[in-house]
């Protein structure tokens, strides 16, 4: 709240947007969301804040106890940071021709990636008007969400990471049927019951998404609008694409 006031926000706006960032709720009292402030410092502060609250809070506890190395060695944290950086880079390269400067493109890409992956839902530009590739990347980030133990929504980065490692183990078994491969997270083996729970959660998530999308499609909107509206509700993202875009 104090940092936002120092950046030029009124006390009321600072309190409202700080709470919305901390809870990754995304509510703004302006129709154009964060774009209404036209302030680079405010955008950077909020983008950083959204990512901070997307990280597992246990890692902050480790850091406060002086266990920095243990916190920084988190597989989920590294996976999450790598995805965010890759998404920003890919989007910047794709939308660069639409902007006058690379800095402006980087600013908008960074903010929207932070907003979507944290499922906060703030906006500084109408990304529904971006090319298809950036829209697809943001759509995938809606599925991902933040880390486990954070205020973010989505499937959670740790679950996606565990499913990918399970898939890798299954492929290795096809090549080497007698091999024994244990799925690990942060260097510790993950028991099969936990892995089964992860897959059950994912199947339930996709099942509810599919059924809800069928119901929403009865309204007669386009598939993109219906699907992203459903996904935005299920992942608690906020904006979707087309009619339910950030400025829609």
């Amino acid at each position: 709240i104090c940092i936002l006031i120092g950046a030029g926000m009124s006390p009321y706006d600072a309190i409202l947007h700080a709470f919305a960032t901390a809870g990754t709720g995304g509510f703004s009292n302006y129709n154009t969301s964060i774009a209404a402030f036209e302030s680079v410092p405010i955008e950077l502060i909020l983008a950083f804040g959204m990512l901070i609250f997307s990280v597992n809070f246990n890692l902050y506890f480790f850091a406060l106890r002086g266990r920095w190395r243990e916190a920084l060695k988190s597989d989920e944290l590294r996976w999450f940071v790598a995805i965010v950086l890759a998404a920003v880079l890919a989007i910047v390269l794709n939308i660069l021709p639409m902007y006058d400067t690379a800095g402006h493109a980087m600013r908008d890409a960074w903010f929207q990636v932070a907003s979507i992956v944290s499922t906060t839902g703030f906006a500084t530009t109408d990304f529904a008007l971006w090319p298809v590739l950036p829209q697809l990347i943001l759509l995938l980030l809606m599925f991902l969400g933040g880390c486990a133990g954070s205020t973010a929504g989505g499937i959670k980065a740790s679950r996606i990471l565990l499913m990918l490692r399970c898939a890798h183990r299954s492929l290795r078994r096809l090549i080497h049927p007698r091999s024994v491969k244990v799925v690990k997270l942060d260097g510790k083996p993950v028991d099969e019951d936990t892995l089964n729970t992860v897959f059950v959660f994912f199947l339930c998530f996709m099942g509810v998404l599919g059924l809800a999308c069928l119901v929403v499609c009865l309204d007669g909107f386009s598939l993109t609008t219906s699907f992203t509206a459903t996904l935005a509700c299920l992942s608690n993202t906020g904006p979707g694409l087309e009619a339910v875009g950030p400025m829609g």
Side-chain angles (χ1 to χ4, degrees):
I1 292 172
C2 293
I3 294 173
L4 288 174
I5 292 175
M9 270 193 184
S10 68
Y12 175 74
D13 287 342
I15 291 172
L16 190 147
H17 288 86
F19 271 101
T21 301
T24 59
F27 175 77
S28 176
N29 54 331
Y30 294 94
N31 289 336
T32 53
S33 191
I34 309 304
F37 296 101
E38 297 182 350
S39 171
V40 176
I42 288 175
E43 291 177 17
L44 294 178
I45 292 167
L46 291 177
F48 183 72
M50 289 186 287
L51 293 174
I52 285 293
F53 284 100
S54 300
V55 174
N56 193 324
F57 281 28
N58 289 325
L59 301 185
Y60 298 135
F61 175 74
F62 291 154
L64 290 173
R65 296 292 298 271
R67 297 157 64 181
W68 283 94
R69 290 185 179 180
E70 188 173 350
L72 294 176
K73 286 182 179 180
S74 168
D75 289 344
E76 184 182 31
L77 177 63
R78 294 180 177 183
W79 164 251
F80 180 74
V81 171
I83 288 178
V84 169
L85 294 177
V88 171
L89 178 61
I91 291 176
V92 168
L93 293 177
N94 200 257
I95 66 173
L96 196 56
M98 301 174 59
Y99 287 81
D100 296 331
T101 64
H104 192 186
M106 173 67 75
R107 192 178 99 202
D108 278 355
W110 180 261
F111 189 92
Q112 298 312 146
V113 167
S115 177
I116 295 300
V117 78
S118 66
T119 66
T120 304
F122 284 144
T124 56
T125 186
D126 190 358
F127 55 79
L129 301 178
W130 283 355
V132 176
L133 179 61
Q135 291 185 33
L136 176 60
I137 293 173
L138 294 178
L139 183 67
L140 295 176
L141 293 180
M142 290 181 192
F143 280 100
L144 177 68
C147 299
S150 70
T151 59
I155 295 175
K156 295 295 194 301
S158 58
R159 290 193 180 102
I160 300 294
L161 180 59
L162 285 175
M163 286 192 291
L164 290 175
R165 289 183 173 178
C166 282
H168 179 256
R169 181 181 65 172
S170 297
L171 291 174
R172 281 181 59 87
R173 282 180 175 174
L174 290 175
I175 302 173
H176 306 287
R178 296 184 179 181
S179 66
V180 178
K181 179 71 174 177
V182 178
V183 176
K184 294 182 178 181
L185 188 67
D186 297 334
K188 300 176 183 178
V190 180
D191 61 85
E192 294 300 321
D193 287 340
T194 301
L195 295 177
N196 289 336
T197 302
V198 169
F199 278 100
V200 169
F201 175 88
F202 179 74
L203 288 175
C204 289
F205 185 96
M206 298 304 293
V208 172
L209 175 63
L211 291 174
C213 187
L214 287 174
V215 175
V216 175
C217 283
L218 295 175
D219 275 340
F221 290 102
S222 69
L223 177 60
T224 300
T225 295
S226 301
F227 180 77
T228 57
T230 307
L231 178 59
C233 289
L234 192 58
S235 293
N236 296 323
T237 308
L241 297 173
E242 290 188 357
V244 291
M247 305 299 172

